Amino acid sequence: MKRLVAGNWKMHETTRAAQRLASSIVASVRELDIGPNVQVAIAPPFTALAAVGAALAGSPVLLGAQNMHWEDDGAFTGEISAPMLIDLGVRCVILGHSERRRYFGESDAYVNAKLRAALAHGLLAIVAVGETNEEHDAGIAGERVVAQTRAAFDGIARERLPEVAIAYEPIWAIGSGRNCDPDEAERVMSTIRSSMPGLEGSPILYGGSIKPENFGAYLALPNCNGGLIGGASLDAGAFAELVRLARDTAPG
Ligand code: PGA
């Protein structure tokens, strides 16, 4: 399966800084000559999508969004729809990130509605799942992520599953510098893989304090097909190094 390396810039960078960062990432990715088996995406804030899209034009780096609404249009103040994103050249979207679930009341039902919309519009969705520190300590990480995964895919045809990536992001590992032990991550990712028929074809990413020093250990895991990267995606040099690691371990 292809490798996928996706950068989540979160609420960072104004338009000019975003365009500069995207241009340096494009330059490094061009140099790396990633080939057909590595996909790279960056998801800037909505306000920087147009500027970053211009910087990515003609490059293999996909433009991503960090969220979207499930309706195409309507009275939803402050929201952004799939057709609006596609209009700006967006090709992929992160759904159900734990920060959205935790701070903005994003429920499993919302994630499911958004995933249906993403599929209807041909966007590559990256659905994020993960357990809290308490759930981790209680030994129920597997149970939590399986529940989130099944809820996200509820009612979606099995044949569509390979078009969706799942990011396993233990919440306690996000932005904490405390990355999950790779063997433990593999156990959870293999639980996700076997939680529904059809997921054998879906890329599964690890996310949570990925850095050039630890990414190789995840890429070596049988059920890890790439990474969802926060902090390190804001540093063009570090992000390029992560892409290089994905290229060097890509199949074929
Ligand atoms: P981090 O964030 O790499 O900064 O831990 C990952 C994420 O939230 O997607």
Side-chain angles (χ1 to χ4, degrees), residues 21-39:
L21 178 55
S23 300
S24 346
I25 289 174
V26 165
S28 322
V29 169
R30 279 231 171 84
E31 225 163 89
L32 285 171
D33 190 15
I34 53 176
N37 289 328
V38 182
Q39 260 184 331

Side-chain angles (χ1 to χ4, degrees), residues 8 10 97 99 169 173-175 208-210 228-231:
N8 171 13
K10 308 194 179 185
H97 189 280
E99 286 149 19
E169 298 203 305
I174 295 177
S209 297
I210 291 178
L228 179 57
I229 295 119

Side-chain angles (χ1 to χ4, degrees), residues 109-190:
Y110 283 4
V111 177
N112 177 248
K114 291 174 181 200
L115 180 55
R116 288 165 187 257
L119 284 167
H121 287 284
L123 289 167
L124 165 65
I126 302 175
V127 174
V129 299
E131 82 285 1
T132 63
N133 200 23
E134 294 71 38
E135 289 162 345
H136 176 252
D137 290 351
I140 56 166
E143 228 169 275
R144 274 306 291 142
V145 300
V146 166
Q148 289 172 333
T149 303
R150 289 189 179 145
F153 287 98
D154 188 37
I156 290 170
R158 176 187 170 158
E159 313 79 76
R160 306 295 309 265
L161 270 51
E163 299 167 45
V164 183
I166 299 176
Y168 168 52
E169 298 203 305
I171 296 169
W172 48 272
I174 295 177
S176 63
R178 197 182 138 213
N179 59 301
C180 182
D181 173 71
D183 290 340
E184 192 181 331
E186 170 59 19
R187 277 197 295 278
V188 179
M189 291 188 290
S190 90

Side-chain angles (χ1 to χ4, degrees), residues 6-252:
N8 171 13
W9 289 4
K10 308 194 179 185
M11 196 171 73
H12 293 287
E13 313 301 3
T14 51
T15 50
R16 238 188 249 177
Q19 193 159 23
R20 268 200 303 272
L21 178 55
S23 300
S24 346
I25 289 174
V26 165
S28 322
V29 169
R30 279 231 171 84
E31 225 163 89
L32 285 171
D33 190 15
I34 53 176
N37 289 328
V38 182
Q39 260 184 331
V40 179
I42 51 183
F46 290 131
T47 47
L49 282 172
V52 170
L56 301 188
S59 87
V61 182
L62 303 180
L63 183 62
Q66 299 173 18
N67 180 33
M68 67 174 209
H69 196 269
W70 57 87
E71 294 289 348
D72 285 359
D73 49 44
F76 300 102
T77 302
E79 291 292 322
I80 308 279
S81 71
M84 293 169 183
L85 295 176
I86 289 165
D87 185 40
L88 290 174
V90 168
R91 309 268 303 280
C92 72
V93 63
I94 301 167
L95 300 176
H97 189 280
S98 62
E99 286 149 19
R100 302 247 17 117
R101 295 179 190 258
R102 181 170 166 202
Y103 303 122
F104 305 101
E106 187 135 320
S107 64
D108 283 335
Y110 283 4
V111 177
N112 177 248
K114 291 174 181 200
L115 180 55
R116 288 165 187 257
L119 284 167
H121 287 284
L123 289 167
L124 165 65
I126 302 175
V127 174
V129 299
E131 82 285 1
T132 63
N133 200 23
E134 294 71 38
E135 289 162 345
H136 176 252
D137 290 351
I140 56 166
E143 228 169 275
R144 274 306 291 142
V145 300
V146 166
Q148 289 172 333
T149 303
R150 289 189 179 145
F153 287 98
D154 188 37
I156 290 170
R158 176 187 170 158
E159 313 79 76
R160 306 295 309 265
L161 270 51
E163 299 167 45
V164 183
I166 299 176
Y168 168 52
E169 298 203 305
I171 296 169
W172 48 272
I174 295 177
S176 63
R178 197 182 138 213
N179 59 301
C180 182
D181 173 71
D183 290 340
E184 192 181 331
E186 170 59 19
R187 277 197 295 278
V188 179
M189 291 188 290
S190 90
T191 306
I192 294 172
R193 176 90 66 207
S194 54
S195 65
M196 290 181 71
L199 289 183
E200 53 288 336
S202 307
I204 297 184
L205 317 180
Y206 168 75
S209 297
I210 291 178
K211 293 188 175 54
E213 304 80 77
N214 61 32
F215 195 33
Y218 297 102
L219 290 170
L221 302 170
N223 280 294
C224 182
N225 311 110
L228 179 57
I229 295 119
S233 71
L234 293 166
D235 174 330
F239 190 68
E241 185 53 19
L242 298 173
V243 173
R244 188 190 65 74
L245 287 163
R247 180 203 65 185
D248 291 351
T249 56

